[in-house]
Amino acid sequence: MLRSTFSRIAVVGAAAATLFAVSSGPALADAQTSDKTITLPNGRGYMKFHDDGDVFEICDTKADGNGVTGTLKKQYVAGNIATMWTDGDGGDNGCDKHPYNVGNDGWYQMTLKWNGGGATVTSEWFNE
């Protein structure tokens, strides 16, 4: 009797683990590939990661006297988080571009804020 109870628990545990692996696989794959874009509300700007070439684009899209500031953070495998760089755009034509080689030795996150105040927009964590 005791043996069959353990067998049932093992089967249920294996089924749950399989379900978790299947359901989380596509979400993790999406976080690891392609371009990423975050956008500020009210058309104030955006920050985009171009996977082909590893270039970040920071764009102030509203002529309101305030620019935007983008930041790239990295979470290392050990768990600590560091700011890799901060760059801004505003007051000139075109967007600012910041080349940075994103690897797969940790996870990266973009943040973007409007320099006139308000909340910061944050991307999901991603890598290549």
Side-chain angles (χ1 to χ4, degrees), residues 5-25:
T5 301
F6 285 128
S7 295
R8 282 190 208 121
I9 292 171
V11 169
V12 170
T18 302
L19 180 61
F20 174 75
V22 170
S23 65
S24 65

Side-chain angles (χ1 to χ4, degrees), residues 53-71:
D54 284 358
V55 174
F56 291 84
E57 184 177 18
I58 302 102
C59 295
D60 176 13
T61 55
K62 194 167 210 168
D64 58 9
N66 295 293
V68 297
T69 301
T71 300

Side-chain angles (χ1 to χ4, degrees), residues 42-54:
N42 302 317
R44 290 196 168 109
Y46 66 89
M47 182 174 178
K48 181 173 187 174
F49 168 62
H50 298 274
D51 189 27
D52 184 17
D54 284 358

